[in-house]
Amino acid sequence: MSMFDLAAVPPVTIAPGSLANVSRRFVLKGIVASGALVVGTGLAPHRALAGWATGADKMPGGTVYDPHVFVAIDPSGEVTILAARSEMGTGVRTSLPMVVADEMEADWSRVHVVQAPGDDKKYGNQNTDGSRSTRHFVQPMRQCGAAMRMMLERAAAVRWGIDPAQVRAENHVVVSLVSGERIGYGELAAAASALPTPPVGELKLKDPKDFRYIGTGTIPIVDLHDITTGHAGYGIDAKIPGMKFAVVARPPVVGGKLVSYDASEALKVPGVERVVEVQGWPWPHKFYPMGGVAVVARNTGSAIKGREKLRIQWEDGSNAGYDSAAYRKQLEATARQPGLVVREDGDAEAALKSAARVISAEYYIPHLAHASMEPPSATVHVAGGKCVAYAATQDAGGCRDDLAAMLKLPAADVTVYTPLLGGAFGRKSAYDFVLEAALVSQAVGAPIKLTWTREDDIRHDFYHVVSVERIDAGVDSGGKVLAWRHRSVAPTIFASFVKGADHESPVELGMGFIDNPFHIANLRCENGKAEAHTRLGWFRSVSNIPHAFAVQSMVGEIAAALGRDPKDMLLELIGPDRIVDPRQSAGVKDYWNYGDPPETYPIDTARLKRVAERAAQAAGWGKTLPKGEGLGIAAHRSFLSYVATVVHAKVDEHGRLSVPAVYTSIDCGFHINPERIRSQLEGAAVMGLALTKHSRITFKRGRVEQDNFDGFVVTRIDEAPLNVHVDIVPADWTVPAAGVGEPGMPPFAPALCNAIFTATGKRIRSLPIGDQLAI
Amino acid sequence: MITLQLNGEQHTYDGDPSVPLLWVLRDEFGLTGTKFGCGEGLCGACTVHLAGAAVRSCQIAAGDAAGKPIVTIEGLDPHGDHIVQRAWRETNAPQCGYCHAGQIMQAAALLAAHPKPTEAEVFATMAGNICRCGCYQRIAEAIHLAATGA
Ligand code: FES
Ligand code: FES
């Protein structure tokens, strides 16, 4: 009996004569091969009920806890657990199966993790975005493990003819409390698999003090060995026998299209086999391809050489005038005018007029590219009314549905496997590259591995939004902040889906803007109009980046203007311990709390204050530093977690910036793997430094001006923060789990710029810093 | 037709010899441990050892690598237990892991040439390898660990 529907996986073999060591991820081993017992099939899917309410069940597919779906035990006792969320570096492929293993009392050394194909209905939602994996799935996965444990215990009880209350599962065996007899999980697998899944109401979760793995931080990621030996299979490494290799030439301007092309020179390039047109969808394309010309060859290198020889005529379309310098001026002009009021407490206009002093500043952050080290890539075979895709996508379920719709196939005939993602950061939530590969495969009648070159990736990304934020703060004669008017002007990601969308959506407004936690009587948020002229997407922590940069920089500016300590100023603005509920404020419509109920995840200022205090304490806030060095602080709630960061910055006599140390404190509630939380926050400091110091995407004549790591500059080891101290606020099961992958990002840039101000007296308001510190 | 010495074995390639070695390794021979990151010598993801030196396989024509010993991440150690690989695991260095084959090949070459590298040598050598996930703190730690034989 096959498991997990993996029998549908095409046999993956290597072309004759090659010496490839096929990645384990593409080979079915273990249970399937050995004919292991499936833990049942054909039962109605069991929906998971939550201990704390989340928004998980509003996502397509919701949540599933059924061990018949996620767990298999073979007769020798080897356990296989499915991971259904995409692994892009957060460690989720280890963490969630580890939760199942812990709850079912499995011995982790006998657990194998297999990646589930895309099927939201069967596995629950798979859109690995929004820092949701742990907070939406830790409960269903605990229930899954608990259900499996109870089924094993019940099977043992039947075998011994005793009451299930008289047996106990313990580290891969079930023990009889009557006789002391023990039976291994392998022996019980067949009987346990025949049992129905216990309903949630019957499940008994482990006492957290009995966790073996959860919370210990001692379990390395399951792919660690394979990663260090080159055997880990990423999306770009997938192999389908007989596959050809393709690259695509795409319109240089978003919304442009192909007029004509001449492939005669390209076809003369050795190794090039076919040149085909790729269908494009009208702007906004959503996740559909923008169209172009594909060159298909015996290897990717030949395809790239062939593409260089294409002669193509494009029509540029309506975005041909997109110019970043001009656009910035437009955004600034808009930010100097009143915008749509999206939150109003008190009367900020009047309070500003009567303020003893008004402190004003404008902040700018350009477009950014994700630039994951693995560029978009997919290997797809469309044949015989079926489609099989290996795709490095964050959203296997959505990808499958869109492939089915585009190819006009039933979803059941479309299979999407998600190998490891070589980084994603939001880019791979969009799966345009998978759809492109499917179109090329269909056109040439062969399996196709489509690779985006780095130039393709940098020029055709779903970019982070460019933004201008303006804040005017009114202070009374006693130095108290009475008024705060924040105008945010940025195109909306939704313009990539809905033609003409020109204001931030509730999702963007909810990311550190209208959810401002400050204790200010007159607080007004306005959103100005901004049209999008390129594809926009989710970039790790999304609109929190510009919003937090402005808000947390402004705190530093006010402190400087009033001669106050910046940390004290921050704590004063956060104000007394309380719950902030933006729904109580005038002007707030459709408040978005990261898709989760504010009742479970309120804005709790005590928690925000606590991380700020902990980070400051870890950094030795107040200590004397040499000339040219300084500490800066920022604290921000995003993805329902609270993060404060203190950056120690150093600017030498030549204006060269370095970051000797970073102190970050995160309160993400209940957590599974502290070791991976630390690595996420270490990484956020590196990526935060890149966007603060170097990175930008600019447009001229509608075209992106950067195309590789020479123009789009990211952090390298010689300037990276190598002393990132991460403090994780302890939290037990009573504190709902929150996000980790993204929340480390927003505080970094303002903390660094606040530190630079302390070190040099220079206030950075426009990112990247570039040569602004040059002397 | 050229002959490549890949991880101690001879293999022939009958395609265009001007194609970068990277694509021949990956697409013709299935040695996908070597990664594509930029194609321009800017990121180090494609690092292999050619005649003992760390090189960017995206910058070398397959024909120019013919006849010289080529070692990829798959061939660095028969059991994957090169000291650098062990140090990498010891420090839990990878996040997504994609850049690490290149990082490890570069670090192994560095330590072969300078068993006790200074910080400046580590930076100068490893600055060619980008990790977008930001594992540098652990990479520095792993290299230190490997160099001190711990
Ligand atoms: S792919 Fe060769 S250096 Fe980046
Ligand atoms: S671990 Fe992801 S790029 Fe280095």
Side-chain angles (χ1 to χ4, degrees):
Chain A
M1 192 161 21
S2 75
M3 313 225 359
F4 311 142
D5 291 345
L6 285 188
V9 181
V12 177
T13 53
I14 299 305
S18 78
L19 70 156
N21 196 344
V22 179
S23 160
R24 290 168 202 190
R25 289 176 55 90
F26 299 111
V27 184
L28 296 176
K29 300 198 306 189
I31 330 181
V32 177
S34 67
L37 294 151
V38 188
V39 185
T41 49
L43 299 167
H46 286 70
R47 315 318 288 189
L49 297 179
W52 3 271
T54 71
D57 284 315
K58 283 189 288 191
M59 302 291 295
T63 60
V64 172
Y65 79 95
D66 192 352
H68 290 104
V69 171
F70 288 101
V71 184
I73 306 174
D74 84 359
S76 71
E78 295 300 296
V79 170
T80 296
I81 301 175
L82 284 195
R85 309 278 293 174
S86 295
E87 178 60 77
M88 61 188 115
T90 62
V92 69
R93 191 171 123 81
T94 302
S95 301
L96 289 178
M98 192 171 95
V99 170
V100 177
D102 203 327
E103 269 298 340
M104 70 176 270
E105 278 291 316
D107 173 353
W108 184 250
S109 69
R110 304 186 66 188
V111 171
H112 309 265
V113 174
V114 167
Q115 195 72 22
D119 190 342
D120 285 332
K121 250 219 202 83
K122 181 165 181 187
Y123 304 107
N125 185 261
Q126 292 174 291
N127 186 0
T128 316
D129 201 334
S131 297
R132 278 189 299 256
S133 293
T134 298
R135 71 181 199 261
H136 282 182
F137 289 92
V138 66
Q139 298 187 97
M141 291 301 103
R142 282 195 71 187
Q143 291 161 345
C144 175
M148 188 69 247
R149 169 169 38 80
M150 286 178 72
M151 288 153 69
L152 287 158
E153 287 173 339
R154 286 173 181 179
V158 169
R159 162 104 57 125
W160 287 320
I162 57 179
D163 190 89
Q166 293 174 308
V167 307
R168 194 174 66 228
E170 207 179 87
N171 205 22
H172 238 81
V173 295
V174 179
V175 185
S176 161
L177 302 179
V178 178
S179 64
E181 274 179 282
R182 302 156 72 83
I183 319 182
Y185 279 8
E187 269 184 83
L188 291 168
S193 71
L195 295 174
T197 299
V200 166
E202 285 178 22
L203 298 177
K204 279 198 264 320
L205 299 181
K206 274 170 79 167
D207 185 330
K209 75 173 169 17
D210 297 328
F211 286 149
R212 291 173 192 279
Y213 312 117
I214 297 171
T216 63
T218 55
I219 305 292
I221 53 172
V222 292
D223 300 297
L224 183 61
H225 196 278
D226 285 350
I227 287 171
T228 60
T229 57
H231 294 122
Y234 293 85
I236 200 170
D237 300 332
K239 299 171 179 82
I240 297 181
M243 67 185 171
K244 305 287 181 192
F245 300 83
V247 294
V248 171
R250 298 175 187 82
V253 177
V254 164
K257 53 179 198 265
L258 182 69
V259 176
S260 64
Y261 70 98
D262 172 357
S264 51
E265 292 301 312
L267 285 164
K268 287 184 198 150
V269 171
V272 171
E273 297 176 2
R274 298 280 301 274
V275 174
V276 295
E277 187 176 334
V278 180
Q279 186 191 341
W281 270 255
W283 160 252
H285 328 85
K286 303 178 182 162
F287 293 162
Y288 281 79
M290 53 177 70
V293 182
V295 178
V296 178
R298 65 176 280 171
N299 62 52
T300 309
S302 296
I304 293 170
K305 281 176 185 286
R307 185 172 68 173
E308 285 160 9
K309 300 282 184 199
L310 285 174
R311 279 199 292 265
I312 306 183
Q313 259 214 305
W314 305 106
E315 184 190 297
D316 284 347
S318 60
N319 294 317
Y322 191 32
D323 179 293
S324 289
Y327 193 73
R328 176 177 184 162
K329 291 211 171 70
Q330 250 181 54
L331 294 184
E332 284 167 350
T334 306
R336 289 165 198 164
Q337 301 295 322
L340 200 66
V341 177
V342 288
R343 172 171 167 187
E344 173 113 87
D345 296 355
D347 186 345
E349 293 300 327
L352 280 172
K353 280 201 191 86
S354 64
R357 183 166 180 188
V358 175
I359 300 155
S360 301
E362 284 174 11
Y363 304 93
Y364 176 77
I365 299 188
H367 285 300
L368 298 167
H370 300 78
S372 54
M373 288 314 296
E374 178 200 39
S377 171
T379 302
V380 182
H381 194 192
V382 181
K386 294 203 190 300
C387 171
V388 174
Y390 292 86
T393 172
Q394 291 172 245
D395 187 5
C399 179
R400 179 198 196 210
D401 293 345
D402 270 357
L403 274 171
M406 183 185 79
L407 297 168
K408 303 194 171 57
L409 293 173
D413 291 328
V414 177
T415 311
V416 176
Y417 297 107
T418 42
L420 297 177
L421 279 59
F425 316 117
R427 167 62 181 92
K428 294 170 186 172
S429 295
Y431 34 72
D432 51 330
F433 50 97
V434 190
L435 304 186
E436 276 181 344
L439 291 174
V440 180
S441 172
Q442 199 175 35
V444 304
I448 287 292
K449 175 180 290 192
L450 176 78
T451 300
W452 282 43
T453 62
R454 182 58 60 194
E455 288 78 8
D456 299 337
D457 176 50
I458 303 273
R459 288 184 194 136
H460 302 292
D461 197 359
F462 287 77
Y463 301 97
H464 176 62
V465 293
V466 53
S467 67
V468 167
E469 310 279 320
R470 181 190 169 96
I471 297 177
D472 298 277
V475 182
D476 72 9
S477 53
K480 189 168 164 50
V481 180
L482 287 180
W484 178 281
R485 187 183 63 205
H486 180 171
R487 291 187 182 137
S488 177
V489 187
T492 170
I493 291 171
F494 288 83
S496 299
F497 303 89
V498 182
K499 203 174 174 62
D502 58 8
H503 278 83
E504 291 179 48
S505 67
V507 168
E508 290 152 322
L509 298 174
M511 292 199 198
F513 182 39
I514 61 152
D515 49 334
N516 184 316
F518 288 168
H519 190 58
I520 300 173
N522 305 291
L523 191 151
R524 180 178 171 108
C525 298
E526 298 176 16
N527 177 223
K529 178 176 163 169
E531 278 172 24
H533 298 293
T534 186
R535 298 201 300 183
L536 301 170
W538 298 268
F539 175 88
R540 193 178 184 183
S541 85
V542 199
S543 303
N544 284 291
I545 294 173
H547 294 150
F549 179 58
V551 170
Q552 296 292 311
S553 294
M554 192 62 184
V555 174
E557 304 227 28
I558 297 171
L562 301 180
R564 299 278 308 276
D565 174 81
K567 180 201 54 144
D568 294 344
M569 191 77 236
L570 174 61
L571 296 179
E572 182 178 308
L573 285 168
I574 294 170
D577 294 353
R578 66 201 190 286
I579 300 299
V580 174
D581 187 349
R583 293 171 301 179
Q584 306 301 320
S585 295
V588 173
K589 283 199 206 74
D590 304 324
Y591 168 57
W592 186 78
N593 192 41
Y594 298 90
D596 281 306
E599 291 68 30
T600 307
Y601 295 101
I603 301 171
D604 182 342
T605 59
R607 292 176 73 183
L608 186 62
K609 200 166 80 184
R610 181 168 54 190
V611 290
E613 282 167 341
R614 289 173 75 109
Q617 194 187 7
W621 188 268
K623 69 188 172 192
T624 313
L625 290 169
K627 189 171 174 305
E629 299 186 28
L631 300 181
I633 189 167
H636 185 77
R637 171 188 180 270
S638 67
F639 303 90
L640 313 170
S641 285
Y642 302 80
V643 179
T645 296
V646 173
V647 175
H648 176 172
K650 179 175 172 183
V651 181
D652 73 10
E653 63 277 17
H654 306 291
R656 281 186 302 240
L657 168 67
S658 59
V659 178
V662 176
Y663 306 86
T664 292
S665 180
I666 180 168
D667 177 355
C668 56
F670 180 82
H671 44 271
I672 302 170
N673 192 349
E675 192 278 322
R676 286 293 97 179
I677 296 173
R678 279 196 291 279
S679 63
Q680 283 302 294
L681 290 162
E682 289 161 13
V686 172
M687 194 173 271
L689 180 63
L691 75 89
T692 312
K693 199 171 173 184
H694 296 299
S695 311
R696 65 169 165 189
I697 289 292
T698 54
F699 286 80
K700 191 120 202 139
R701 294 190 303 113
R703 289 153 171 81
V704 175
E705 294 185 286
Q706 297 72 25
D707 65 7
N708 210 314
F709 290 117
D710 43 0
F712 186 75
V713 179
V714 299
T715 309
R716 294 171 183 269
I717 196 170
D718 53 350
E719 60 171 14
L722 298 180
N723 295 299
V724 181
H725 304 269
V726 178
D727 162 59
I728 304 169
V729 176
D732 64 19
W733 183 248
T734 62
V735 191
V740 171
E742 295 169 270
M745 292 286 289
F748 189 88
L752 174 54
C753 292
N754 285 336
I756 291 170
F757 179 79
T758 305
T760 66
K762 168 121 183 118
R763 174 57 61 181
I764 301 289
R765 299 192 181 95
S766 176
L767 298 188
I769 295 170
D771 58 8
Q772 292 177 70
L773 296 171
I775 295 186
Chain B
M1 178 87 84
I2 59 170
T3 301
L4 295 172
Q5 286 183 43
L6 296 178
N7 298 328
E9 291 173 27
Q10 309 279 333
H11 293 277
T12 57
Y13 166 58
D14 64 2
D16 179 3
S18 75
V19 160
L21 176 62
L22 168 67
W23 300 115
V24 176
L25 294 174
R26 287 183 54 81
D27 297 350
E28 301 277 346
F29 297 116
L31 286 169
T32 49
T34 303
K35 295 294 189 262
F36 168 64
C38 71
E40 292 289 339
L42 298 166
C43 79
C46 64
T47 304
V48 300
H49 296 169
L50 180 66
V55 298
R56 307 293 186 234
S57 63
C58 71
Q59 296 299 295
I60 294 198
D64 292 340
K68 298 175 192 152
I70 300 164
V71 176
T72 69
I73 184 74
E74 291 94 338
L76 182 61
D77 179 89
H79 307 291
D81 280 337
H82 186 283
I83 180 125
V84 171
Q85 290 170 312
R86 281 188 280 131
W88 238 255
R89 296 195 285 266
E90 189 60 33
T91 54
N92 289 309
Q95 289 180 38
C96 83
Y98 188 80
C99 70
H100 286 273
Q103 304 270 7
I104 287 169
M105 294 307 279
Q106 186 65 57
L110 167 68
L111 292 180
H114 304 277
K116 305 268 174 230
T118 62
E119 187 181 67
E121 282 167 341
V122 171
F123 284 178
T125 312
M126 300 305 297
N129 290 72
I130 296 175
C131 176
R132 185 68 164 141
C133 295
C135 304
Y136 298 123
Q137 179 165 332
R138 313 258 183 132
I139 288 170
E141 199 189 325
I143 292 173
H144 179 77
L145 200 63
T148 51

